[in-house]
């Protein structure tokens, strides 16, 4: 869980992170609330004017109710409203948005000359998610945030159709790496299971930057198929700018 305090000029004043040890709804929410309260106290913000709290989540939600829709990684997540839960704990305004929407707006704040542009933002993380900004505002009827990663592409290496996010995301790249290591009998399943997807991709990135061709091929493949997915979006939506983040 990451917290960042920004000023009115959009500069990050303080930031901090805390780990989570269980993927369960109430545990995560309780950790986030306690972490935020400690953060406010540690930086002596109790008597400061906090304009609001923005909660960024990795799945789509109803913007009016704050109820998450189809959370993919959280076990047992029900229809509890994040808005209501956090509003009961804090006195300042609270809003909830998909991670890609938050990142797209942050990019826009750093690009004042692009405020009138139509921007398509792709968030490459554990999966793939997107945001569409029209004239500086998130498109109210945009429904592709979590669907972009489900575009079907044909992987000639596997001779099968796969979802875009199963190739181009952190989880996708790590999954391909695990499979290749097992097929070649280079690493055991136990050793691979002890490595997170983030650790695998970070190691591959370091190796790729050092010029190792075996590591580079994972990123070349991801970039190739990401380009195929973006070509569909460009032909349909025709944005002024595409941002990868």
């Amino acid at each position: 869980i990451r917290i960042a305090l920004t000023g009115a000029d959009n500069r990050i004043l303080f930031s901090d992170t805390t780990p989570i040890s269980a993927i369960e709804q109430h545990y995560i929410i309780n950790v986030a609330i306690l972490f935020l309260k400690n953060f406010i106290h540690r930086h002596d913000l109790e008597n400061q004017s906090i304009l609001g709290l923005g909660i960024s989540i990795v799945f789509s939600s109803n913007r009016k109710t704050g109820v998450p829709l189809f959370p993919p990684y959280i076990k047992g997540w029900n229809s509890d409203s994040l808005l209501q839960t956090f509003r009961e704990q804090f006195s300042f305004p609270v809003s909830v948005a998909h991670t890609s929407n938050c990142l797209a707006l942050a990019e826009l704040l750093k690009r004042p000359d692009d405020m009138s542009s139509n921007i398509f933002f792709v968030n490459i993380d554990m999966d793939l998610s997107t945001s569409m900004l029209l004239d500086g505002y998130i498109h109210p009827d945009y429904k592709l945030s979590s669907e972009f990663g489900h575009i079907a592409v044909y992987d000639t290496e596997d001779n099968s159709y796969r979802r875009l996010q199963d190739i181009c995301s952190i989880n996708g790249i790590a999954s391909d790496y695990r499979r290749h290591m097992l097929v070649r009998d280079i690493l055991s399943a136990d050793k691979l299971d002890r490595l997170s997807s983030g650790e695998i991709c970070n190691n591959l990135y370091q190796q790729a930057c050092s010029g190792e061709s075996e590591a580079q091929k994972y990123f070349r493949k991801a970039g190739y198929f990401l380009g195929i997915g973006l070509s569909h979006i460009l032909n349909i939506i025709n944005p002024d700018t595409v941002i990868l983040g």
Side-chain angles (χ1 to χ4, degrees):
I1 299 175
R2 179 182 297 276
I3 290 179
L5 176 69
T6 61
D9 58 357
N10 304 314
R11 289 187 302 111
I12 295 178
L13 304 178
F14 306 105
S15 67
D16 199 0
T17 61
T18 188
I20 55 175
S21 58
I23 308 299
E24 191 274 329
Q25 174 184 3
H26 297 292
Y27 166 78
I28 292 176
I29 291 177
N30 289 336
V31 169
I33 290 173
L34 180 61
F35 183 39
L36 181 56
K37 287 182 176 180
N38 289 337
F39 183 86
I40 291 173
H41 177 73
R42 187 166 66 253
H43 294 289
D44 194 25
L45 301 173
E46 288 94 340
N47 300 318
Q48 302 295 321
S49 177
I50 298 179
L51 298 180
L53 168 65
I55 302 174
S56 168
I57 56 178
V58 296
F59 37 80
S60 300
S61 66
N62 185 309
R63 288 182 297 163
K64 293 182 179 180
T65 65
V67 175
L69 306 175
F70 314 115
Y73 302 123
I74 313 299
K75 296 179 181 178
W77 199 290
N78 56 37
S79 58
D80 289 350
S81 170
L82 287 175
L83 276 179
Q84 180 179 344
T85 301
F86 278 82
R87 282 173 176 170
E88 290 173 352
Q89 296 290 329
F90 302 97
S91 59
F92 38 78
V94 179
S95 62
V96 176
H98 192 282
T99 301
S100 57
N101 288 342
C102 296
L103 294 173
L105 289 173
E107 286 283 350
L108 203 59
L109 291 171
K110 292 294 185 180
R111 300 162 168 263
D113 295 336
D114 291 339
M115 288 298 288
S116 61
S117 298
N118 299 330
I119 297 176
F120 186 76
F121 182 90
V122 182
N123 178 36
I124 306 171
D125 207 313
M126 293 302 176
D127 57 7
L128 296 180
S129 60
T130 63
S131 180
M132 183 68 196
L133 276 67
L134 300 177
D135 296 326
Y137 295 92
I138 295 174
H139 195 302
D141 297 321
Y142 182 66
K143 299 293 192 297
L144 289 178
S145 180
S146 59
E147 296 303 318
F148 177 73
H150 292 268
I151 293 176
V153 293
Y154 190 76
D155 185 355
T156 55
E157 182 179 315
D158 288 347
N159 292 319
S160 63
Y161 283 98
R162 302 175 64 189
R163 296 182 305 174
L164 201 61
Q165 68 182 28
D166 293 337
I167 302 175
C168 306
S169 67
I170 291 176
N171 278 331
I173 293 173
S175 178
D176 274 354
Y177 174 81
R178 290 189 182 99
R179 183 162 49 85
H180 293 158
M181 293 300 102
L182 286 173
V183 168
R184 299 174 187 176
D185 199 24
I186 297 176
L187 291 176
S188 68
D190 289 340
K191 289 184 178 180
L192 288 171
D193 287 341
R194 287 197 292 268
L195 292 174
S196 69
S197 295
E199 289 173 326
I200 289 175
C201 282
N202 184 60
N203 291 338
L204 286 173
Y205 173 74
Q206 298 298 332
Q207 294 168 17
C209 290
S210 299
E212 294 190 22
S213 58
E214 280 295 308
Q216 291 174 351
K217 71 178 185 181
Y218 291 98
F219 298 102
R220 288 198 181 98
K221 181 177 180 179
Y224 172 78
F225 282 104
L226 184 61
I228 291 177
L230 286 173
S231 68
H232 296 312
I233 297 299
L234 293 173
N235 288 328
I236 295 171
I237 300 177
N238 191 31
D240 299 317
T241 306
V242 173
I243 299 176
L244 306 181

